[in-house]
Amino acid sequence: HIPVEHLWIGTFHSICARILRIEADNWGFRRDFTIYDDDDRKSLIKNALKELGIPKENLQPARVKHIIGKAKNSFVSPDKLTGFAYGHDIKLIARVYKRYMELLRDAGAFDFDDLLVQPVEMFRKYPESLEKWKQKFDHVLVDEYQDTNRTQYLLIKLLAGKSGNITVVGDDDQSIYSWRGADLNNILGFENDFKKAKTIRLEKNYRSTGIILKAANSVVENNKSRMKKKLWTDRQDGDKVKVLECLNDRDEAKRVISSIEHECSMHKSTLKDFVILYRTNAQSRSFEDVLRHRFIKYVIVGGVRFYERKEIKDILAYLRFLANPNDKVSFNRAITTPKRGIGPKTIEAIEKFTGEQHIMIMDTLSRADELFSGSGILKKVEDFYDIMKSLGEMRGKTGLDALAQKIVEKSGYEMYLQMDDPLKFEDRIDNVKELITAMGEYENLSDEDDLTAFLSEVSLVTDVDTWDDSSDALTLMTLHSAKGLEFPSVYIVGVEKGLFPLPVSFDEPAGLEEERRLFYVGMTRAEERLHVSYALQRMRYGSYSGGASMFVSELPLDILDIETPELLYTKIPLRNQPIRRAMEFEDYSQEMTDYDEELRYSVGSYIRHPVFGRGRITACSGSGENTKLTVMFGAQEKKIIVKYAKLIQG
């Protein structure tokens, strides 16, 4: 029997909070300190900005919060911030960071990150305190060590001390959270940090079949920054890995769902035995469409159904108000998103005038000068009216996707998303662009006009009751959300060029290797059957991409069951085999910008694209705004017309 009454078990944050309360008097803190959550932090940052006389328009609180959190995870103080992070506003953020810390101290509070930072600082400042805690903990054990950040690493080193009484458990091949501050070097450098450490490789796998492990090992072995190991099992080899090559994302969704239906029948499985894993949240939309049309229950884990996501509802509010100029709810949401300085009193005045005059809200907006003459609010209301008026003029003369694109452009919605929450920006703008794609693909089978029919269909989707996730339902989730889970049958979808790995990961080897680890994590969720799919053609950001990802070519050919689409001759690019395809797709960015005559492009120079990241120019033709570039973004080639792309040199 092991006595457990003095055993401390908890998260880093809970244990550190306990230490802080015990040491509060010795370290000069209030014992009843407050722990600030995200909302509290944002409020305090706003106060700091106000005190320093920095307008929120010049420095968004969400960006400041993100940078401060990142700095604390890496144990970087305000005076060291300029050497840690980059950007035109970093010096300004450093000032806010310093004042923010002063305000925290004045309030007798710690934010979540401080719970880790403060014990490290105090242990360094008060060696006698550190010695006391080192004696208290005979041994330190850390689970999921590959997910620790720099500050957690420093804390562990201090507590373990020279005696090295420490055990860590982790898998460097499952380190997929660098964007949260996790540092892969913590686990890779463990044997260096603790010279007497003994490494035990837990390579026997009890979950997956032999074939699945062979596939996973073959992929992850391409990473250079890893500890050598190879998973094995005494289970049977099992089914081959099925690779589904699809014509486009709609074809992919239909074939994946059909394959799941077939498996249910063949293996007498239930829907909860299956999971569909994707790289980005926006990919769920095409699968949700098929599942709804086939009346198949599903649940999204760690996310929100596509048409219930805030950014989708924001754009739909404009469209609903366009379709029904007297829709008060949609008008309310549209006129206040993005924020225009229009508040409840203005909206109340508009609605009151509308009721008194017995007219539509749009009619009231056209007569805004009668309500707000001489007021600063007039221009803001007129600007919103101009957006809605231009949409009304486009309706019926252009595609639905053009309407949505116009809303994003005219309202400044993309900039709003970027400023609102930088961490979630990529996911949220992906969702908006996926909505635009969905509207472009929409086929109206009713007697109503396209916009009305589309909104009716979306309303029916939104009003469906959320499925009970404990019932028999198909699971959809991102690869990041799947860590630690397992399913009899796993489908990893969208494993293709320009999507997985993400183009931005080609900027640095570490980024590409983390994407490969993410694929490995997805593969090792499978117990019995593993499926990998990709589309030859996918509409993203107004342009086409697609084709098998480099990760597909890393799978051993002898363990694959490859299913190609009918009526299209193609060959999968596997292990040194060239691809042959009946059709090729050009890729042009559709994002408009003013052309800068001073920019000059030459073969061998580098540019940066807002979607694909940093790339090297391999061919150049034409001149001026009609210059056409061929650019290699990592292993991916793109053709771009300069006048349509927001390019930055370097």
Side-chain angles (χ1 to χ4, degrees):
H1 294 285
I2 300 173
V4 296
E5 61 267 21
H6 300 301
L7 192 66
W8 280 37
I9 302 175
T11 63
F12 275 96
H13 291 87
S14 66
I15 286 175
C16 284
R18 194 172 166 189
I19 291 172
L20 283 169
R21 295 201 189 277
I22 291 171
E23 292 287 356
D25 294 337
N26 299 327
W27 291 350
F29 303 135
R30 292 171 56 109
R31 189 180 293 273
D32 58 347
F33 62 79
T34 305
I35 299 174
Y36 277 6
D37 63 18
D38 263 8
D39 288 339
D40 298 327
R41 290 168 67 190
K42 205 165 184 178
S43 296
L44 205 61
I45 286 168
K46 287 178 181 176
N47 290 346
L49 288 168
K50 189 176 180 181
E51 288 187 18
L52 294 170
I54 302 170
K56 285 188 291 183
E57 294 74 23
N58 293 0
L59 196 57
Q60 287 293 317
R63 171 163 166 75
V64 177
K65 182 165 74 71
H66 169 58
I67 294 293
I68 291 175
K70 200 172 176 182
K72 289 187 177 186
N73 282 335
S74 299
F75 202 72
V76 174
S77 58
D79 57 311
K80 301 281 179 61
L81 187 66
T82 51
F84 168 74
Y86 301 96
H88 68 280
D89 54 2
I90 288 300
K91 287 185 178 179
L92 207 55
I93 293 175
R95 287 178 58 205
V96 180
Y97 184 5
K98 183 180 179 183
R99 183 58 188 146
Y100 168 76
M101 291 304 296
E102 291 169 351
L103 291 174
L104 273 175
R105 192 161 53 248
D106 292 345
F110 294 124
D111 66 22
F112 203 58
D113 298 318
D114 279 331
L115 297 180
L116 304 180
V117 172
Q118 290 299 327
V120 175
E121 287 187 347
M122 293 301 107
F123 283 149
R124 286 180 169 182
K125 188 175 180 179
Y126 301 106
E128 64 279 9
S129 287
L130 174 60
E131 197 57 39
K132 180 179 75 176
W133 286 97
K134 281 163 63 175
Q135 289 177 12
K136 177 172 181 59
F137 298 131
D138 291 331
H139 204 99
V140 178
L141 193 153
V142 185
D143 194 15
E144 300 289 0
Y145 190 61
Q146 77 280 351
D147 294 334
T148 55
N149 61 36
R150 173 72 179 170
T151 304
Q152 291 165 334
Y153 162 80
L154 293 173
L155 179 69
I156 291 163
K157 281 203 76 176
L158 286 169
L159 288 174
K162 292 180 181 177
S163 66
N165 288 337
I166 181 170
T167 300
V168 301
V169 180
D171 181 359
D172 54 300
D173 288 335
Q174 295 194 51
S175 180
I176 58 173
Y177 296 121
S178 67
W179 47 279
R180 284 187 191 167
D183 190 344
L184 177 65
N185 292 316
N186 291 353
I187 191 167
L188 295 183
F190 183 79
E191 290 166 310
N192 260 343
D193 293 328
F194 300 95
K195 302 292 185 184
K196 296 179 180 178
K198 180 180 179 182
T199 301
I200 302 169
R201 285 173 168 76
L202 306 175
E203 296 173 302
K204 184 175 182 181
N205 181 285
Y206 297 87
R207 174 187 297 151
S208 306
T209 63
I211 290 287
I212 292 169
L213 295 182
K214 184 176 180 181
N217 285 329
S218 179
V219 169
V220 81
E221 282 169 359
N222 288 280
N223 277 355
K224 294 179 181 177
S225 298
R226 65 185 296 263
M227 301 174 80
K228 299 298 179 188
K229 57 190 170 302
K230 198 164 191 171
L231 297 185
W232 62 275
T233 184
D234 51 18
R235 294 187 62 193
Q236 293 182 345
D237 279 351
D239 294 345
K240 285 187 173 185
V241 176
K242 180 171 262 189
V243 176
L244 292 173
E245 183 179 68
C246 309
L247 291 173
N248 51 45
D249 49 335
R250 284 179 291 175
D251 181 46
E252 179 186 43
K254 290 175 183 176
R255 287 173 60 192
V256 164
I257 303 306
S258 293
S259 177
I260 289 171
E261 289 178 313
H262 176 70
E263 270 193 71
C264 276
S265 173
M266 286 288 293
H267 300 282
K268 295 182 179 178
S269 305
T270 58
L271 287 173
K272 62 184 177 184
D273 292 330
F274 298 86
V275 66
I276 296 175
L277 303 177
Y278 35 77
R279 180 63 185 84
T280 65
N281 275 306
Q283 289 170 258
S284 74
R285 195 267 309 171
S286 56
F287 294 94
E288 290 186 67
D289 286 350
V290 175
L291 290 166
R292 284 195 313 274
H293 290 146
R294 297 192 189 180
F295 303 101
I296 298 173
K297 289 185 177 182
Y298 69 95
V299 60
I300 298 216
V301 175
V304 181
R305 288 169 181 259
F306 185 79
Y307 289 106
E308 293 172 6
R309 293 167 190 167
K310 180 187 179 299
E311 56 273 17
I312 301 304
K313 287 187 169 185
D314 287 344
I315 302 302
L316 290 178
Y318 282 84
L319 295 169
R320 286 196 170 105
F321 183 49
L322 175 62
N324 177 7
N326 221 26
D327 179 348
K328 289 184 180 181
V329 172
S330 296
F331 162 67
N332 237 292
R333 184 167 192 150
I335 201 169
T336 56
T337 310
K339 293 178 181 177
R340 298 181 171 83
I342 295 175
K345 288 184 179 179
T346 303
I347 294 170
E348 186 180 336
I350 291 169
E351 291 180 349
K352 183 180 178 184
F353 186 85
T354 300
E356 291 172 348
Q357 298 294 317
H358 304 290
I359 56 178
M360 296 285 190
I361 294 174
M362 270 296 285
D363 296 328
T364 299
L365 295 177
S366 70
R367 295 165 58 181
D369 58 324
E370 297 179 37
L371 275 172
F372 307 110
S373 180
S375 165
I377 208 75
L378 176 60
K379 177 71 167 59
K380 297 171 182 176
V381 174
E382 287 180 336
D383 286 346
F384 176 72
Y385 172 69
D386 288 342
I387 293 173
M388 297 310 305
K389 184 181 177 184
S390 65
L391 291 172
E393 291 168 352
M394 290 173 64
R395 184 180 180 184
K397 299 176 184 176
T398 186
L400 293 180
D401 52 341
L403 284 175
Q405 186 66 47
K406 179 68 74 174
I407 292 167
V408 174
E409 290 171 3
K410 290 288 188 182
S411 68
Y413 194 74
E414 185 167 350
M415 181 62 72
Y416 159 72
L417 288 182
Q418 195 159 20
M419 294 298 189
D420 183 56
D421 192 337
L423 269 180
K424 295 179 181 175
F425 169 70
E426 293 293 345
D427 250 5
R428 294 172 74 183
I429 198 62
D430 269 2
N431 287 334
V432 171
K433 289 172 178 175
E434 183 64 22
L435 172 66
I436 294 170
T437 299
M439 293 178 74
E441 294 173 348
Y442 179 69
E443 295 178 30
N444 184 6
L445 303 177
S446 73
D447 296 330
E448 300 173 318
D449 72 275
D450 288 352
L451 180 60
T452 304
F454 178 79
L455 291 173
S456 295
E457 187 166 318
V458 168
S459 294
L460 291 173
V461 170
T462 305
D463 290 339
V464 173
D465 291 334
T466 303
W467 300 119
D468 178 2
D469 59 6
S470 64
S471 68
D472 184 27
L474 176 63
T475 302
L476 282 73
M477 66 173 77
T478 64
L479 284 146
H480 279 103
S481 297
K483 189 164 178 280
L485 302 178
E486 56 187 35
F487 296 84
S489 187
V490 170
Y491 285 75
I492 307 178
V493 299
V495 188
E496 63 201 48
K497 295 175 185 176
L499 183 55
F500 190 25
L502 292 176
V504 71
S505 68
F506 286 102
D507 282 358
E508 292 183 10
L512 181 57
E513 292 204 352
E514 180 154 334
E515 290 285 292
R516 186 177 281 113
R517 289 194 294 272
L518 187 58
F519 185 44
Y520 170 85
V521 166
M523 296 168 77
T524 53
R525 300 311 92 199
E527 296 174 316
E528 305 292 340
R529 292 174 294 282
L530 174 64
H531 313 72
V532 174
S533 69
Y534 64 89
L536 291 172
Q537 178 186 17
R538 184 181 298 268
M539 175 70 84
R540 296 187 81 222
Y541 316 124
S543 57
Y544 290 112
S545 63
S549 161
M550 61 189 295
F551 297 157
V552 176
S553 68
E554 293 170 359
L555 295 168
L557 186 59
D558 63 309
I559 62 166
L560 302 182
D561 178 8
I562 304 165
E563 186 179 299
T564 56
E566 297 177 5
L567 306 178
L568 180 67
Y569 175 75
T570 183
K571 192 168 185 179
I572 191 169
L574 292 163
R575 291 219 179 266
N576 304 319
Q577 295 186 25
I579 186 167
R580 288 194 290 160
R581 194 171 293 156
M583 54 178 75
E584 292 289 337
F585 305 104
E586 299 290 323
D587 193 321
Y588 299 101
S589 170
Q590 300 300 305
E591 299 181 62
M592 294 291 292
T593 188
D594 292 333
Y595 176 73
D596 186 346
E597 285 291 348
E598 293 185 3
L599 291 180
R600 295 290 180 265
Y601 302 96
S602 58
V603 174
S605 63
Y606 285 84
I607 55 93
R608 187 172 291 277
H609 188 282
V611 174
F612 305 116
R614 189 168 184 260
R616 183 172 60 85
I617 299 172
T618 58
C620 181
S621 61
S623 60
E625 65 176 13
N626 293 312
T627 300
K628 182 177 174 183
L629 305 176
T630 302
V631 185
M632 287 298 295
F633 296 97
Q636 180 181 203
E637 184 179 87
K638 296 288 179 183
K639 293 180 181 179
I640 297 169
I641 295 178
V642 167
K643 70 177 179 180
Y644 293 129
K646 296 178 180 177
L647 301 179
I648 301 171
Q649 287 193 323

